[in-house]
Amino acid sequence: MMRNRDENKKDAILEHALKTIVQKGFDGLSMQKLAKAAGVSPATIYIYFKDRDDLLVQLFEVHMTNYFGYIMRGLDPEMDFATGLKTQWRNRADFVMKHPDVAHFMEHFTYTPLHYQVVKKIKGNATGNAMSRFVQKAIRDKQLVAMPIEVYWSVAFAPLYNLLRWNKIGNNMAGEKFKLTDEMMEQTLALVLKALKP
Amino acid sequence: MMRNRDENKKDAILEHALKTIVQKGFDGLSMQKLAKAAGVSPATIYIYFKDRDDLLVQLFEVHMTNYFGYIMRGLDPEMDFATGLKTQWRNRADFVMKHPDVAHFMEHFTYTPLHYQVVKKIKGNATGNAMSRFVQKAIRDKQLVAMPIEVYWSVAFAPLYNLLRWNKIGNNMAGEKFKLTDEMMEQTLALVLKALKP
DNA sequence: TGTAAGTGAACGAACGTTCATTTATCTTTG
DNA sequence: CAAAGATAAATGAACGTTCGTTCACTTACA
């Protein structure tokens, strides 16, 4: 009776939107140029998205969902703390290295007013729950100092993301050339483990 | 012979630009609305700024310079490591708490294409040099494990900024309500010191 | 053949920027 | 020490362009 939607079109739109935002910023993304780049009519975009904001929010949600799935790979709740943390570091680093534009976009989006309307939706998601259980078990097993989950996350992962960010930019905080090496990442993980272990 | 510029106008323009960007994002900032908000003519903006990009770059540079000055307050190169780090944590936290919009804007700007043209200018600045000397002295005095400056910065400050960011948003990584307490900050600093001390 | 996907052209609004003009304040002059 | 003259600050209106979005219409499939 009715014609099916061509999901390739939606994907093409999202893909080019991501690329443009990373290269030109949010104010460099126009619907008409995006349509041209994705090879569709401007009106087609409005079949798949309510408006520009909806497109941006969906773009973020698609990648966030995908990312949340990725970082839990090979993670076993019965793992000891150090192994589990190392696995999560590897997953997060692999993802960011493989998809630097996606990582850049997701972090950039965080500073956007649109982010506020997404934040509320992610409450009670599977990834957050799994991490929470992992941390609580490690504390119970005396492999991790007792602390609020936010303190844990900040000490455990913020240093990694910072290194990955500088690596993407190619400069450190002083504007000097910077390239992240495996050795540096291992050294940083070791320091983080030293901080967190009892 | 000539009429002097009214620097209050420039300040008003920059101030309202900052506020708008934080509230509406970069694509929410238009020159005509900005002029109206700052109480000047659109043409006046172009006396003080070459174009929109120049305005944004100058806005960033003004606040970055000011911030770099702020975080070095009360910092003595002869301080022992733990005291020096604690001082820098207090300075950075104070600034972000006192000027949350400025901090938000500066971090947001970092993800913008414009940031690339600023990064190169900051090479060899006084703040970077002072921090470098502080770290090298601490290593020499055996108060700090030897490590690249980027690893040091990431472990030393990334957790703090992460907590401050969540505090500003009012949510943690799982979308739950979050408010940063002094106790949490002290606990995090203690963990960081544990990681960095030999 | 009915229905929704998909389109190109067009809408008014808003965009960044500039132009022609006026205004304010400085230096010079008498 | 006031008036004249010079210069750049400051302006409101307007420029052409591009913006997000929609409309009237065609196309393709169930």
Side-chain angles (χ1 to χ4, degrees):
Chain A
M1 238 177 192
M2 72 170 189
R3 192 173 161 190
N4 279 337
R5 285 190 182 183
D6 182 356
E7 288 295 325
N8 293 333
K9 289 205 164 61
K10 185 172 184 179
D11 291 345
I13 293 165
L14 289 174
E15 185 192 325
H16 283 91
L18 180 89
K19 205 169 76 177
T20 305
I21 291 167
V22 170
Q23 284 175 3
K24 311 263 178 76
F26 275 85
D27 41 2
L29 179 80
S30 94
M31 304 302 270
Q32 316 200 71
K33 284 181 188 167
L34 172 59
K36 185 157 283 184
V40 300
S41 161
T44 303
I45 299 180
Y46 291 85
I47 296 173
Y48 295 94
F49 308 97
K50 194 179 145 293
D51 52 25
R52 189 176 181 269
D53 281 0
D54 181 50
L55 165 65
L56 295 172
V57 169
Q58 282 202 44
L59 181 59
F60 180 76
E61 289 179 338
V62 162
H63 288 297
M64 191 186 58
T65 304
N66 183 38
Y67 180 60
F68 277 5
Y70 195 101
I71 61 177
M72 300 309 280
R73 284 189 186 179
L75 211 77
D76 178 351
E78 295 307 311
M79 267 177 177
D80 82 305
F81 173 68
T83 315
L85 186 62
K86 186 172 185 165
T87 304
Q88 282 190 59
W89 265 55
R90 200 183 332 102
N91 287 350
R92 288 166 197 260
D94 281 356
F95 186 94
V96 174
M97 294 288 212
K98 250 194 257 181
H99 312 289
D101 284 355
V102 173
H104 182 109
F105 164 73
M106 285 198 292
E107 293 185 28
H108 188 172
F109 185 87
T110 292
Y111 291 93
T112 286
L114 290 170
H115 184 242
Y116 283 94
Q117 67 185 72
V118 178
V119 162
K120 290 150 197 173
K121 288 203 220 164
I122 64 171
K123 215 152 89 173
N125 69 85
T127 307
N129 294 341
M131 177 144 75
S132 205
R133 271 182 279 115
F134 173 73
V135 169
Q136 275 155 24
K137 179 180 179 298
I139 294 174
R140 250 194 338 269
D141 295 352
K142 312 271 185 222
Q143 297 179 335
L144 172 62
V145 186
M147 64 184 83
I149 187 83
E150 294 90 354
V151 171
Y152 165 74
W153 199 103
S154 300
V155 173
F157 300 119
L160 170 63
Y161 284 116
N162 191 64
L163 288 173
L164 290 168
R165 215 159 83 70
W166 284 345
N167 182 65
K168 212 243 161 185
I169 298 172
N171 296 91
N172 67 11
M173 68 285 168
E176 300 158 339
K177 274 230 172 331
F178 174 67
K179 186 164 176 1
L180 179 59
T181 64
D182 286 346
E183 195 190 350
M184 283 169 75
M185 233 175 73
E186 276 163 35
Q187 185 178 14
T188 312
L189 175 57
L191 290 168
V192 166
L193 278 170
K194 185 174 151 198
L196 294 173
K197 279 183 171 174
Chain B
M1 240 182 189
M2 71 171 191
R3 193 171 159 191
N4 279 337
R5 288 190 180 181
D6 182 356
E7 289 294 326
N8 293 334
K9 288 204 165 64
K10 185 172 185 180
D11 292 346
I13 293 165
L14 288 173
E15 184 192 325
H16 283 90
L18 181 89
K19 204 168 77 178
T20 306
I21 291 168
V22 170
Q23 284 176 2
K24 311 265 177 73
F26 274 86
D27 42 1
L29 179 79
S30 94
M31 303 303 271
Q32 317 199 69
K33 284 181 187 166
L34 172 59
K36 185 158 284 184
V40 300
S41 159
T44 303
I45 299 180
Y46 291 85
I47 296 172
Y48 295 95
F49 308 98
K50 195 181 146 289
D51 53 26
R52 188 176 182 270
D53 282 0
D54 181 50
L55 164 66
L56 295 172
V57 168
Q58 282 201 43
L59 181 58
F60 180 76
E61 289 179 338
V62 161
H63 287 298
M64 190 185 59
T65 303
N66 182 39
Y67 180 60
F68 278 5
Y70 195 101
I71 60 178
M72 301 309 280
R73 283 188 189 182
L75 211 77
D76 180 351
E78 295 308 309
M79 265 176 178
D80 81 304
F81 174 67
T83 315
L85 186 62
K86 186 170 187 167
T87 305
Q88 283 189 60
W89 266 54
R90 199 182 334 102
N91 288 349
R92 288 167 198 260
D94 282 355
F95 185 95
V96 174
M97 295 288 212
K98 249 192 258 180
H99 313 288
D101 284 354
V102 174
H104 182 108
F105 164 74
M106 286 198 290
E107 293 185 27
H108 188 172
F109 185 87
T110 293
Y111 291 93
T112 286
L114 290 171
H115 183 243
Y116 284 94
Q117 67 186 70
V118 179
V119 162
K120 292 149 195 172
K121 288 203 220 165
I122 63 170
K123 216 151 89 171
N125 70 83
T127 307
N129 294 341
M131 177 145 73
S132 206
R133 271 183 278 116
F134 173 74
V135 169
Q136 276 155 24
K137 178 179 179 299
I139 295 175
R140 250 194 337 268
D141 294 352
K142 312 269 185 224
Q143 296 180 336
L144 172 62
V145 187
M147 65 185 81
I149 188 84
E150 293 91 356
V151 171
Y152 164 74
W153 198 103
S154 300
V155 174
F157 299 117
L160 170 63
Y161 284 116
N162 191 64
L163 289 173
L164 290 168
R165 216 159 83 69
W166 283 344
N167 182 64
K168 211 241 161 185
I169 299 171
N171 297 91
N172 67 11
M173 68 285 166
E176 299 158 340
K177 274 230 172 333
F178 173 68
K179 186 161 174 4
L180 179 59
T181 64
D182 286 346
E183 194 191 351
M184 283 169 76
M185 233 174 73
E186 276 164 34
Q187 186 179 13
T188 311
L189 175 58
L191 290 168
V192 166
L193 278 170
K194 184 172 151 201
L196 295 173
K197 278 185 172 173

